[in-house]
Amino acid sequence: GAPLLRPHKGWVLRWFDELPQPVLGRSHALNNSAMDGTPAQIMLPCLFTHLPRVLDVVILEFGSLALHLHHPSIEAIVRRLRTLQPPPAVVFVTVRGLCKRAQREDAATVRVTQSRSGERVPWELYGANETTPWSLAEASFERVCAHYDASCLSLYAAVGEGLQQSRPNFALDDVASDCLHPSTGKLGTEYMADLLAHWQRAAMALPPPPPPPDAPTRAPPSVARSPEKAAAGATTRNHERRTPRSGSSLMFARSRTTSTPQAESGAVALGLPRSKALKILGICGSLRTASCNHGLLRAAAEQAEAKGVDFRIVGVGDLPLYNEDLDGHQAPKAVRLWKAAVAAADGVFIASPETNFGLSAPLKNALDWASRHPSNLWKGKAAAVASAGGATSGGARAQMQLRQVGVFLDLTFVNAPEVAIRRFEDKCFDEATGELRSDTWRGRVGELLERLLKLAAIMRKAHSETI
Ligand SMILES: Cc1cc2nc3c(=O)[nH]c(=O)nc-3n(C[C@H](O)[C@H](O)[C@H](O)COP(=O)(O)O)c2cc1C
């Protein structure tokens, strides 16, 4: 129809237009490796017949073919791309169907179209947490994306809340008037370009651009809550007048090897090419300021860092109590950051107290948040558990409970050595700071860490064959 025939500059080109000149050099070229209606399983064999071998950024967007894709083929493409030297930054951008046929035509049906037979067909938005073929496809992309530490961007995550709440500039006609293709929305293409611009700024740790004086008044996507994200949601036409803070080409984005849960992409998790260093997530089941369990984690982190391991302790105190109504793409920011941290880890080192003969509530809550929507993120990870607890067992009973929960979560625990410290009897912590003061226990923590690293390395290798 007419909207598709009008001269239309696509979202990648618009993003290119907005890249600062030092980033986008004369030697950069845009290669389109996709053909309309070509699913990944057919694309794979001829991927490099027309693509150069040196690529800075690869954007994977399967659009309306998402429902017909063979997901092992998507994974195969990513694995193939990762063999390139140097490896490119891989960005998954997902776009999904937004509407379904409505049973009735009323205020809730946001759109009515005329079918070929002349019948009026009412459509309504999918619910925010509704499981649909599209949400399942997107979850599957995210799983591949997170596993390979690529960047995952979702148009729905960026605009879904605005659509659901009928915010200005987030009507279907703004996002995708045919319920699917952003190019059919008045602002859909700009939203897509904004997603990429936001990703690029986060990947290069660039400051947000000042809003251009002639910026249109459209509201930023719903992800744009912080000043940085607000800028990401705003139009970015002024980029070429900015100078990047560091690095002068997209090579910089590619050469960064660490992704931080703090460096959120706005839509979903931001990740960069997977580092060779093992990533261990340290989880503390106590929220106490002078927590001895946190002291155990710090002792593990120091020893891990000396071995070149990326050991990151991420707090769980900001997570709300688990509520499935809040889970999914619209989950609170703390939850999205938490999931990103779990997804990026090869293994977890958990140090937690026992409370009333059981798992500590903050720990169980944190485990639950990463156990679904889009999928169980603990699956296939190596785990070690340590505890500092009360008089009789030092937390050993909670350790056994954790192992039991871990069966369902598909965590694989190392079995020894046991680190269960009786805080009050053993007196090996600085009570004011939680610092572990005992060389003997530091040694035990080191042994436990060593076992965890070996297991995590084996499991990472096994999983790199396939997920
Ligand atoms: C509500 C509560 C219940 C507890 N129940 C147990 C228990 O069942 N078993 C145990 O070994 N210690 C128990 N403790 C002691 C804690 O495990 C101990 O104080 C531990 O050091 C707290 O961890 P943290 O130092 O990391 O904050 C309990 C403490 C509290 C506050």
Side-chain angles (χ1 to χ4, degrees):
L4 289 175
L5 290 178
R6 70 174 187 248
H8 190 83
K9 195 168 195 176
W11 45 274
V12 181
L13 279 177
R14 287 192 199 202
W15 171 55
F16 253 51
D17 282 352
E18 293 166 2
L19 282 171
Q21 282 312 310
V23 172
L24 185 65
R26 280 181 193 283
S27 60
H28 283 106
L30 172 65
N31 292 277
N32 186 359
S33 76
M35 277 188 294
D36 214 14
T38 313
Q41 49 271 41
I42 296 171
M43 203 184 283
L44 184 60
C46 52
L47 199 59
F48 286 99
T49 54
H50 56 301
L51 272 189
R53 300 269 161 171
V54 177
L55 296 163
D56 289 307
V57 177
V58 177
I59 300 166
L60 297 170
E61 193 274 312
F62 297 100
S64 54
L65 283 174
L67 301 186
H68 308 287
L69 286 179
H70 181 234
H71 285 264
S73 302
I74 309 266
E75 195 185 349
I77 288 183
V78 178
R79 287 161 57 84
R80 179 78 185 83
L81 291 170
R82 279 160 49 95
T83 64
L84 296 180
Q85 284 307 325
V90 175
V91 191
F92 273 84
V93 184
T94 59
V95 175
R96 56 153 123 159
L98 302 168
C99 309
K100 63 183 172 188
R101 272 183 87 135
Q103 298 302 318
R104 55 190 196 288
E105 195 178 315
D106 59 21
T109 58
V110 294
R111 189 187 151 72
V112 176
T113 50
Q114 204 81 18
S115 75
R116 283 202 187 131
S117 62
E119 172 203 8
R120 276 164 64 85
V121 181
W123 294 87
E124 64 183 326
L125 284 177
Y126 284 125
N129 291 320
E130 193 171 340
T131 300
T132 70
W134 293 102
S135 70
L136 293 174
E138 188 166 84
S140 180
F141 285 138
E142 272 178 24
R143 203 165 143 251
V144 176
C145 179
H147 183 80
Y148 290 100
D149 219 359
S151 300
C152 329
L153 305 177
S154 153
L155 180 67
Y156 184 74
V159 301
E161 198 178 297
L163 277 165
Q164 297 294 338
Q165 295 175 358
S166 308
R167 281 173 44 196
N169 299 310
F170 289 92
L172 263 177
D173 281 344
D174 296 317
V175 178
S177 62
D178 69 348
C179 285
L180 178 61
H181 298 91
S183 56
T184 64
K186 284 186 217 121
L187 296 166
T189 308
E190 285 189 60
Y191 285 151
M192 294 291 282
D194 280 354
L195 276 181
L196 278 178
H198 181 80
W199 165 79
Q200 172 240 329
R201 273 198 303 281
M204 298 179 72
L206 291 174
D214 57 344
T217 52
R218 90 182 143 83
S222 63
V223 290
R225 290 199 190 95
S226 69
E228 186 210 348
K229 288 183 209 158
T235 188
T236 46
R237 247 178 284 153
N238 265 8
H239 278 197
E240 63 273 17
R241 290 197 283 279
R242 289 189 300 119
T243 311
R245 196 190 321 150
S246 49
S248 61
S249 87
L250 284 174
M251 300 288 281
F252 176 72
R254 186 182 60 201
S255 68
R256 283 184 54 179
T257 53
T258 54
S259 64
T260 65
Q262 286 75 18
E264 192 204 16
S265 72
V268 203
L270 170 78
L272 291 165
R274 182 179 278 268
S275 133
K276 282 204 171 57
L278 278 174
K279 285 185 185 168
I280 303 296
L281 174 64
I283 305 169
C284 182
S286 165
L287 307 183
R288 204 164 64 87
T289 313
S291 161
C292 301
N293 286 284
H294 204 279
L296 280 178
L297 280 184
R298 294 198 298 276
E302 280 162 24
Q303 299 182 60
E305 273 156 26
K307 294 173 193 292
V309 172
D310 180 354
F311 192 114
R312 208 158 290 190
I313 303 171
V314 176
V316 299
D318 287 343
L319 293 171
L321 283 179
Y322 185 80
N323 176 350
E324 199 173 349
D325 293 343
L326 300 179
D327 209 348
H329 277 309
Q330 307 300 329
K333 181 179 169 186
V335 171
R336 285 182 282 130
L337 292 177
W338 174 242
K339 290 189 186 200
V342 175
D346 296 300
V348 291
F349 193 114
I350 301 172
S352 179
E354 178 176 297
T355 44
N356 300 321
F357 278 27
L359 273 183
S360 85
L363 174 60
K364 183 61 167 53
N365 191 45
L367 291 170
D368 288 347
W369 271 118
S371 67
R372 54 196 64 212
H373 304 299
S375 58
N376 171 20
L377 298 173
W378 304 104
K379 183 179 160 67
K381 294 199 193 294
V385 55
S387 58
T392 47
S393 73
R397 281 169 298 231
Q399 288 202 20
M400 295 312 287
Q401 281 193 1
L402 176 59
R403 287 173 189 275
Q404 183 189 329
V405 173
V407 170
F408 186 68
L409 296 180
D410 205 357
L411 281 167
T412 303
F413 283 90
V414 293
N415 292 326
E418 186 183 40
V419 178
I421 307 178
R422 294 173 310 157
R423 170 185 162 198
F424 303 108
E425 277 70 22
D426 298 344
K427 298 196 186 323
C428 51
F429 292 98
D430 180 329
E431 283 293 323
T433 62
E435 208 65 25
L436 180 59
R437 293 281 184 229
S438 151
D439 288 343
T440 311
W441 280 114
R442 274 190 176 266
R444 283 274 198 111
V445 168
E447 279 173 49
L448 183 61
L449 173 72
E450 195 59 42
R451 292 278 294 260
L452 173 67
L453 296 179
K454 280 196 182 126
L455 181 63
I458 291 167
M459 291 179 72
R460 174 156 149 179
K461 187 162 182 296
H463 285 292
S464 70
E465 305 301 323
T466 182
I467 59 168

